[in-house]
Amino acid sequence: MTVRLGIVMDPIEDIHFKKDSSLAMLLAAQKRGWKIEYMELPDLYLDGGRAMAHTRDLTVHMDPENWYGFGPSQDRALGDLDVILMRKDPPVDREFLMATYILEAAEQQGALVVNPASTLRDCNEKLFATQFTDLTPPLLVSRSASRFREFYAEHGDVIMKPVDGMGG
């Protein structure tokens, strides 16, 4: 039986071919004969409590000039997919949070969602690290510019990152 894999991600045409881990996962899944269905956040919806999406069949290629191709599109009950990868990059904004609720419904309706929707909401990748201070360098989470200046004065070379976005 063929595994039906859904992926929710940023526009595939905008990824960096050489370093995108989502593309690497898709290539591995396709090599195993899995059927891949592509979605972006606006494609997700609830219809009477049923998690749905407008999906497009996707093929991927190890070609930096032509790494993807779309096949037919369809509206699909997400619970009918075997696995859904949630690979949307930050920011964690209202649209992202709403998508996690739809994906949580998909989990309840039979799909394995990786990473689980509640975990995406509850375990912010930057704030979660504050629970492991014995494994991290000194860190500060704040909105206060004066606290950042004090932290910088104490530690010198620092890296600043937005809590809900990429970069730093």
Side-chain angles (χ1 to χ4, degrees), residues 117-124 127-128 131:
S118 62
T119 305
L120 292 169
R121 289 190 303 270
D122 296 345
C123 299
N124 174 283
L127 294 177
F128 194 68
Q131 298 181 42

Side-chain angles (χ1 to χ4, degrees), residues 14-70:
D14 295 338
I15 66 171
H16 294 101
F17 174 82
K18 289 184 180 181
K19 66 177 188 171
D20 192 274
S21 56
S22 295
L23 179 60
M25 289 181 218
L26 293 172
L27 287 163
Q30 184 173 273
K31 186 175 180 180
R32 289 171 174 75
W34 295 12
K35 181 178 186 278
I36 304 168
E37 296 190 37
Y38 171 87
M39 298 160 266
E40 295 176 19
L41 291 187
D43 297 320
L44 305 176
Y45 63 99
L46 288 171
D47 186 355
R50 191 170 185 202
M52 302 286 294
H54 185 76
T55 70
R56 289 179 274 175
D57 293 351
L58 176 69
T59 55
V60 288
H61 318 282
M62 273 302 292
D63 178 351
E65 302 300 319
N66 179 34
W67 62 84
Y68 71 96
F70 291 122

Side-chain angles (χ1 to χ4, degrees), residues 21 27 34 62 65 70 92 95 101 123 126 131 133 135-136 149-150 162 165:
S21 56
L27 287 163
W34 295 12
M62 273 302 292
E65 302 300 319
F70 291 122
V92 178
E95 185 181 23
Y101 291 115
C123 299
K126 306 218 177 67
Q131 298 181 42
T133 56
L135 302 173
T136 64
R149 284 191 289 277
E150 291 169 14

Side-chain angles (χ1 to χ4, degrees), residues 5-6 8 39 78 81-86 103 106 111-114:
L5 171 71
V8 180
M39 298 160 266
L78 292 176
L81 294 170
D82 297 301
V83 180
I84 301 170
L85 301 176
M86 175 49 151
L103 291 173
L112 171 65
V113 177
V114 180

Side-chain angles (χ1 to χ4, degrees), residues 122-153:
D122 296 345
C123 299
N124 174 283
E125 63 183 326
K126 306 218 177 67
L127 294 177
F128 194 68
T130 64
Q131 298 181 42
F132 307 99
T133 56
D134 57 322
L135 302 173
T136 64
L139 59 91
L140 172 70
V141 177
S142 178
R143 289 183 52 98
S144 168
S146 63
R147 286 190 201 285
F148 283 127
R149 284 191 289 277
E150 291 169 14
F151 188 82
Y152 175 73

